[in-house]
Amino acid sequence: MSIIVKLEEKKDFSATERKIADYILDNKEEILHLTIRELAQATYTGTSTVMRLIKKVYDGSFSDFKVDLAFEFHNLQREDQYEQFQIQKQETAFSIINKIAHIQKTAIDYTKSLQDYQQIERVTKLINNATIIYVFTDGINHQIGCEFKYMMARIGKKVEVAKDDFWVALNCLKSGEQPLAIYINHREHNLALLEKIKRNHKVGIKSIAITGYINSTFETCCQEIISIPTGMSYSDLAPVTYTTAIHYILNIIVGCVIATNYSASGQKLNAYTDLSSQ
């Protein structure tokens, strides 16, 4: 029987031991960093009482108890995530509506936590300085690149979704061009994209990567690497996670470009709106 189950069942626990067990279960992250004395202080008990409880659920030292408890918490979290990110048999429209909302909110919250505000400012500067932006994508990310091109066009920024990377490299050798490449990647072994990155780096194209996977090619060839979650590979809904994360990052970039070029972006947007209404 697992440690967690024993703590939840509280078999033959005294009232004080029940309080300690509840504290451990309610403070999963904190408990892993506490000493036995600190746990006793947090629960207003004594070290001997804490150790007596540990002996009822675990055969070993307090340090080993925390290691094995952490392992159980980790596995339990993976099981919970599997339930949350997988379509279950005979799910209703109501449950799927809530599940998708939960996945997208989780993806955005996690993506936000990965971001460095100073990095986003540096990325915005790179984009503002570029005369043309080439977006390199594959698969499902191609459509996201097209949507980014449309959003940037509305504020007067030239973006192309690259199809022929060799032509891009040649075109960027023209005098006066200040190209920027954005690589969107959610696959761990995207060898074709890595080759494009290397080729563009050789001709001096500055680059930004939006990716969940970091390797030497990204680190060597890209000025900035923006991290995103890639989605759980075993989940039916993994694409929801990484496409939500990519959209969120690109929307942030668009927003920052508008903010740093407010007057010019507003004029371009008004002109675009007038043209669209004709």
Side-chain angles (χ1 to χ4, degrees), residues 1-11 56-58 72:
M1 187 181 297
S2 74
I3 298 171
I4 293 174
V5 170
K6 290 178 181 177
L7 289 171
E8 290 175 339
E9 286 188 348
K10 301 178 177 63
K11 186 177 180 180
K56 287 186 176 182
V57 298
Y58 184 76
E72 286 192 17

Side-chain angles (χ1 to χ4, degrees), residues 129-167:
N129 291 338
T131 56
I132 185 168
I133 299 166
Y134 292 100
V135 179
F136 291 84
T137 67
D138 66 348
I140 194 172
N141 296 325
H142 178 79
Q143 181 59 37
I144 297 175
C146 291
E147 293 171 12
F148 178 65
K149 174 182 177 179
Y150 168 75
M151 292 178 70
M152 294 292 271
R154 295 175 77 243
I155 56 175
K157 200 68 184 176
K158 188 175 182 181
V159 175
E160 295 292 341
V161 180
K163 295 181 181 178
D164 185 337
D165 57 297
F166 187 71
W167 176 86

Side-chain angles (χ1 to χ4, degrees), residues 33 68 97 180:
H33 306 287
D68 286 349
I97 286 170
L180 177 70

Side-chain angles (χ1 to χ4, degrees), residues 35-51:
T35 65
I36 191 168
R37 184 180 297 276
E38 289 170 334
L39 177 56
Q41 291 174 344
T43 55
Y44 301 99
T45 60
T47 55
S48 59
T49 307
V50 172
M51 204 60 220

Side-chain angles (χ1 to χ4, degrees), residues 96-237:
I96 291 175
I97 286 170
N98 286 293
K99 178 168 287 188
I100 297 298
H102 169 74
I103 292 171
Q104 291 195 302
K105 183 180 183 303
T106 300
I108 289 174
D109 288 345
Y110 183 42
T111 306
K112 179 183 176 183
S113 72
L114 296 175
Q115 302 317 305
D116 177 339
Y117 299 137
Q118 292 180 330
Q119 181 185 56
I120 295 298
E121 290 176 350
R122 294 194 301 268
V123 166
T124 303
K125 187 174 181 179
L126 285 171
I127 289 175
N128 283 335
N129 291 338
T131 56
I132 185 168
I133 299 166
Y134 292 100
V135 179
F136 291 84
T137 67
D138 66 348
I140 194 172
N141 296 325
H142 178 79
Q143 181 59 37
I144 297 175
C146 291
E147 293 171 12
F148 178 65
K149 174 182 177 179
Y150 168 75
M151 292 178 70
M152 294 292 271
R154 295 175 77 243
I155 56 175
K157 200 68 184 176
K158 188 175 182 181
V159 175
E160 295 292 341
V161 180
K163 295 181 181 178
D164 185 337
D165 57 297
F166 187 71
W167 176 86
V168 168
L170 290 176
N171 192 47
C172 289
L173 292 174
K174 295 178 181 177
S175 61
E177 286 282 17
Q178 297 182 55
L180 177 70
I182 297 179
Y183 306 107
I184 300 175
N185 169 57
H186 68 270
R187 291 194 290 126
E188 186 171 7
H189 301 294
N190 194 338
L191 299 180
L193 182 63
L194 296 180
E195 287 304 312
K196 292 176 183 179
I197 295 172
K198 291 175 183 177
R199 177 177 289 170
N200 290 338
H201 180 64
K202 286 181 180 178
V203 296
I205 301 176
K206 292 183 178 179
S207 303
I208 298 166
I210 301 173
T211 180
Y213 297 100
I214 308 300
N215 60 31
S216 59
T217 300
F218 284 113
E219 293 175 341
T220 302
C221 301
C222 297
Q223 275 67 39
E224 301 290 344
I225 302 173
I226 301 175
S227 297
I228 60 167
T230 58
M232 303 173 74
S233 60
Y234 54 78
S235 170
D236 299 329
L237 300 172

